[in-house]
Amino acid sequence: MREFLLPIPNMVGNSNRVDNFPDGNDLEDPMHFSRPFTPPLEVHKVSVPPETSTFQSLRQRLCEFFFPDDPFHQFKNKPFVRKLVLALQYVFPIFEWGSDYSLGLLKSDAISGITIASLAIPQGISYAKLANLPPIIGLYSSFVPPLIYSVLGSSRDLAVGPVSIASLVMGSMLREAVSPDKEPILFLQLAFTATFFAGVFQFSLGLFRLGFIVDFLSKPTLTGFMGGAAVIVSLQQLKGLLGIVHFTTKMGFIPVMESVFENKGEWAWQTVVMGLSFLAFLLIARHISMRRPKLFWVSAAAPLTSVILSTIISFVFKAPNHGIKTIGHLQKGLNPPSANLLDFEGSYLSLAIKTGIVTGILALTEGIAVGRTFASLKNYQIDGNKEMMAVGAMNMAGSCASCYVTTGSFSRSAVNYNAGCKTAASNIVMASAVLFTMLFLMPLFYYTPNVILSAIIIAAVIGLIDVNGALRLWKLDKFDFLACMSAFFGVLLVSVQMGLAIAVAVSLFKILIQITRPNTVVLGNIPGTNSYRSVAQYREATRMPTFLILGIESPIYFTNSMYLQERILRWIREEEERITKLNENSLKSIILDMAAVMTVDTSGIEALVELKKILDKRSLEATCSGQSSWGSSTEAISIRSLGSFRVRSHLRDNWGSDCCILAQGQCMILGWVVCEH
């Protein structure tokens, strides 16, 4: 047991000074001016936390790291048979919602499935072209993966299929080494192999519960990356929209625009008129659905309507004779097996692995973000790691069934949600509609103009350009805005891959800055209260005469301990210069408000001890204080007495040779107490 003296906090947030410490040191109360009355002290006894072995401590930390949601909680105290049922439902969520399925749910899911199929069919064909793959591959990818996801996925609203960004990245990365026109079979092999590695990567992240890796792509960098990729995707479609035959294979903004104007002689006015007309139709339909959410079906049906109308026009007026290129023959039937096309030995294996990992990360980021968004709207939760395993499994299986990388699409999921889907069965209905199309309707696409596919892609990706989001970042956080713009211009001016690399690098750099350069602020008293706030943020906050109160707003680690020491000394120097300039009373005490410091490692402790020695030489008293949960200052201990006191952390089990840090209490006091040896 340890004895310590602790003031009794009152119920309005005040906490009072300890006048007598166990070793008899008589410290000056740094807050005496705000507390004219000191209540009597009570002696409390606190038990030292139980000792834990290294194995127990490591096991606890690993469990908290890999299983923060405690997925095995539902199996506790259950009979063996019940555990088997729960395990089956956990691995295959279809058994969970399928046991209560009804005709009413089927009706809602059928309407949703048919609705998203009308969007998935033209988008699948278009996105396959975007990935430099045969259009039929897009339909194949809209059939097998949704069936697998409906069995393994935990989201009720996610509509699965090809997406624009992953298609663009895969097509551009593979095209740098292999031409899809000169070596179509090799290109197809690499696409399927990259899809397989994407699935392996995604499944592994979920299996080993490493989904936090995807979170390194922050929202600001994703906003910039998606916006830049959307612009590049749209510019690439100028080839089909203008009818250009010879077009650059590069993805940068400058090469694309140079190619557009260097080949003005290839522009076909018939193609331009048809493309712009249907693009305007698609954008108007999208605008109507955005303004009136109940008319979501207008935007959902617009792509298929455009395909049907343009195909009829092309057939009636013999469009190929007027320079308008069409899709041509598409193979009928089910997905042919493609396991024999997976290549794990060739010289392009490293390219396939790299492409798979990059597209896998992008697919996971979009799919999980979309799933969580619609889950929050319907007030249910999805397991991110299970979603990764589901997406990985469907891509691994898809690579063996003539499919390329797929994930949850935002546009199709939004249509699915607005159409009133209830379960993942809507994906089964969509897949059935795609199957019917592949079996019986493929000849109808023969006269579908390529320009319509370009218009559908532009209309789909234009929503990824989030101008309002970028402006919001500018207002809230200039560094986040810089990260957003870095990713945007990296994609636009260099390449999609480089833009993604910049996005990741900027995200990591921001984390490093926050860890190595934590924020420190000068605190002042809010008049009429016992609350102390940043004098830079609160204009009414006043500095305490002869005291410098510094707030440290981060845990103290080896990565930032020396920086904090140097920054505190700089604060002291600047404060002394300010005092000299204003002819105020000299500085007597330095108070470190460490309420936000949840842990201090051994390097941090040594830095505090060294800081104490430096201040001792300057005859300055350095004290360390915390805050109550209402923000008012609590009591202080003297850093110069670290040799006499031991302070321990209940939040982090860190012991140091001189002291350890304590965050005592749950609601009344989140500050510092002093314990005897």
Side-chain angles (χ1 to χ4, degrees):
M1 302 287 287
R2 305 281 193 248
E3 289 189 359
F4 66 92
L5 298 179
L6 182 65
I8 304 175
N10 61 33
M11 298 305 293
V12 295
N14 293 331
S15 56
N16 299 283
R17 184 178 61 85
V18 176
D19 285 335
N20 297 295
F21 288 90
D23 69 343
N25 285 344
D26 184 14
L27 301 179
E28 179 183 359
D29 179 8
M31 301 298 169
H32 65 88
F33 38 78
S34 62
R35 298 185 189 86
F37 173 72
T38 302
L41 299 177
E42 292 187 6
V43 177
H44 299 263
K45 292 186 177 182
V46 178
S47 299
V48 176
E51 297 291 340
T52 57
S53 66
T54 302
F55 174 76
Q56 290 174 328
S57 178
L58 181 62
R59 178 177 177 273
Q60 181 181 1
R61 294 297 298 272
L62 289 178
C63 286
E64 288 296 325
F65 184 82
F66 290 107
F67 304 100
D69 54 343
D70 191 13
F72 304 111
H73 177 74
Q74 59 178 330
F75 298 100
K76 294 179 180 178
N77 303 320
K78 294 291 192 301
F80 178 74
V81 176
R82 181 58 181 166
K83 287 182 179 179
L84 288 178
V85 174
L86 290 174
L88 188 64
Q89 293 177 346
Y90 182 80
V91 177
F92 303 103
I94 190 173
F95 290 109
E96 183 177 358
W97 55 264
S99 59
D100 300 324
Y101 207 69
S102 63
L103 289 176
L105 295 176
L106 177 60
K107 178 182 177 181
S108 299
D109 289 337
I111 295 175
S112 302
I114 294 173
T115 305
I116 57 177
S118 66
L119 180 62
I121 292 170
Q123 279 191 352
I125 297 174
S126 303
Y127 292 159
K129 295 280 286 185
L130 187 60
N132 299 309
L133 295 171
I136 189 63
I137 301 297
L139 289 182
Y140 291 159
S141 302
S142 300
F143 171 56
V144 172
L147 292 177
I148 297 175
Y149 182 82
S150 63
V151 176
L152 299 176
S154 58
S155 174
R156 306 171 194 169
D157 305 279
L158 202 65
V160 172
V163 292
S164 58
I165 301 301
S167 301
L168 171 69
V169 172
M170 173 172 282
S172 61
M173 291 185 69
L174 296 180
R175 189 169 185 171
E176 290 181 355
V178 178
S179 171
D181 300 319
K182 297 179 181 179
E183 300 177 282
I185 302 300
L186 177 58
F187 192 90
L188 199 59
Q189 288 178 336
L190 291 177
F192 293 150
T193 306
T195 300
F196 177 81
F197 282 113
V200 171
F201 177 72
Q202 294 165 336
F203 190 87
S204 300
L205 288 183
L207 181 63
F208 296 108
R209 306 189 67 84
L210 299 175
F212 65 90
I213 293 177
V214 178
D215 295 332
F216 278 100
L217 285 173
S218 64
K219 177 66 175 178
T221 55
L222 276 178
T223 299
F225 173 78
M226 292 294 187
V231 173
I232 288 296
V233 169
S234 300
L235 292 177
Q236 283 288 319
Q237 302 317 303
L238 292 177
K239 174 184 178 181
L241 203 63
L242 301 176
I244 298 175
V245 178
H246 301 90
F247 199 72
T248 180
T249 59
K250 298 180 180 179
M251 303 299 295
F253 174 81
I254 295 176
V256 169
M257 296 309 298
E258 287 179 347
S259 180
V260 168
F261 290 103
E262 286 176 358
N263 296 287
K264 288 189 295 184
E266 297 181 2
W267 293 13
W269 69 267
Q270 300 94 332
T271 303
V272 173
V273 171
M274 176 177 282
L276 293 180
S277 300
F278 280 99
L279 178 60
F281 169 71
L282 291 168
L283 293 178
I284 292 173
R286 179 176 178 272
H287 180 72
I288 292 173
S289 296
M290 290 179 62
R291 294 293 298 270
R292 297 179 179 273
K294 292 184 178 180
L295 298 178
F296 68 91
W297 54 269
V298 174
S299 178
L304 186 59
T305 303
S306 299
V307 169
I308 295 174
L309 290 178
S310 63
T311 302
I312 294 174
I313 294 173
S314 176
F315 176 76
V316 171
F317 293 97
K318 305 297 181 183
N321 297 334
H322 299 282
I324 299 178
K325 299 184 181 302
T326 60
I327 293 178
H329 174 72
L330 293 179
Q331 179 182 348
K332 292 198 303 181
L334 292 173
N335 297 32
S338 58
N340 60 315
L341 295 178
L342 300 181
D343 185 6
F344 302 118
E345 297 180 353
S347 58
Y348 296 106
L349 179 60
S350 60
L351 174 63
I353 294 175
K354 182 174 67 173
T355 304
I357 292 176
V358 172
T359 55
I361 290 176
L362 290 175
L364 274 185
T365 302
E366 180 172 355
I368 293 178
V370 172
R372 287 175 176 171
T373 298
F374 291 105
S376 64
L377 294 177
K378 287 190 176 180
N379 196 27
Y380 70 92
Q381 291 183 333
I382 62 173
D383 187 329
N385 290 291
K386 286 174 62 178
E387 285 294 290
M388 292 179 188
M389 294 174 67
V391 173
M394 73 183 189
N395 279 319
M396 284 190 290
S399 67
C400 300
S402 299
C403 305
Y404 76 106
V405 173
T406 54
T407 187
S409 165
F410 183 82
S411 58
R412 288 191 289 273
S413 298
V415 171
N416 196 30
Y417 171 83
N418 289 322
C421 72
K422 301 299 182 183
T423 69
S426 59
N427 279 289
I428 300 177
V429 176
M430 179 190 72
S432 301
V434 173
L435 173 62
F436 180 82
T437 301
M438 292 191 298
L439 291 177
F440 304 107
L441 304 182
M442 297 310 294
L444 300 180
F445 290 98
Y446 184 90
Y447 283 98
T448 301
N450 286 330
V451 66
I452 297 303
L453 303 182
S454 298
I456 291 173
I457 291 175
I458 294 175
V461 302
I462 200 170
L464 298 176
I465 305 175
D466 190 1
V467 177
N468 292 330
L471 293 176
R472 196 159 48 245
L473 290 174
W474 171 259
K475 295 178 181 178
L476 295 178
D477 192 324
K478 299 298 189 292
F479 190 90
D480 278 347
F481 178 79
L482 176 62
C484 175
M485 291 295 101
S486 298
F488 178 81
F489 287 109
V491 172
L492 202 61
L493 301 178
V494 186
S495 66
V496 177
Q497 303 93 285
M498 184 57 66
L500 180 62
I502 292 174
V504 175
V506 169
S507 298
L508 293 176
F509 182 67
K510 180 181 179 181
I511 294 174
L512 289 176
I513 286 181
Q514 292 176 340
I515 292 176
T516 60
R517 296 295 184 266
N519 192 37
T520 59
V521 294
V522 176
L523 302 181
N525 178 249
I526 303 296
T529 71
N530 284 333
S531 181
Y532 293 82
R533 293 291 182 263
S534 170
V535 295
Q537 185 176 4
Y538 293 81
R539 295 182 179 179
E540 64 273 25
T542 58
R543 298 171 183 259
M544 296 296 99
T546 72
F547 290 90
L548 174 61
I549 309 175
L550 299 176
I552 300 177
E553 301 179 346
S554 168
I556 303 177
Y557 297 111
F558 66 95
T559 57
N560 61 27
S561 58
M562 294 309 299
Y563 164 78
L564 286 174
Q565 183 186 114
E566 295 169 356
R567 192 65 183 88
I568 290 171
L569 292 174
R570 176 182 166 188
W571 279 121
I572 295 172
R573 185 184 71 246
E574 292 176 349
E575 180 67 9
E576 290 176 337
E577 293 174 352
R578 189 190 68 84
I579 289 174
T580 302
K581 182 179 180 180
L582 298 179
N583 196 24
E584 296 180 351
N585 294 330
S586 62
L587 187 61
K588 293 182 179 179
S589 184
I590 313 300
I591 299 175
L592 301 181
D593 179 0
M594 303 177 74
V597 179
M598 292 294 100
T599 185
V600 181
D601 67 1
T602 53
S603 299
I605 293 171
E606 292 176 359
L608 291 177
V609 173
E610 187 176 345
L611 177 63
K612 166 254 177 182
K613 293 178 181 178
I614 295 173
L615 296 181
D616 276 349
K617 293 179 181 179
R618 302 178 58 176
S619 300
L620 285 178
E621 176 189 0
T623 62
C624 181
S625 76
Q627 286 188 341
S628 72
S629 58
W630 294 277
S632 61
S633 178
T634 66
E635 304 317 310
I637 65 170
S638 175
I639 292 182
R640 73 182 178 193
S641 300
L642 286 175
S644 303
F645 298 105
R646 171 170 286 178
V647 187
R648 187 173 183 181
S649 171
H650 289 279
L651 301 182
R652 297 286 189 273
D653 192 16
N654 295 330
W655 285 92
S657 57
D658 293 297
C659 75
C660 291
I661 306 305
L662 169 73
Q664 161 68 21
Q666 295 180 351
C667 60
M668 285 298 183
I669 295 181
L670 299 177
W672 304 81
V673 299
V674 181
C675 300
E676 282 187 334
H677 277 302

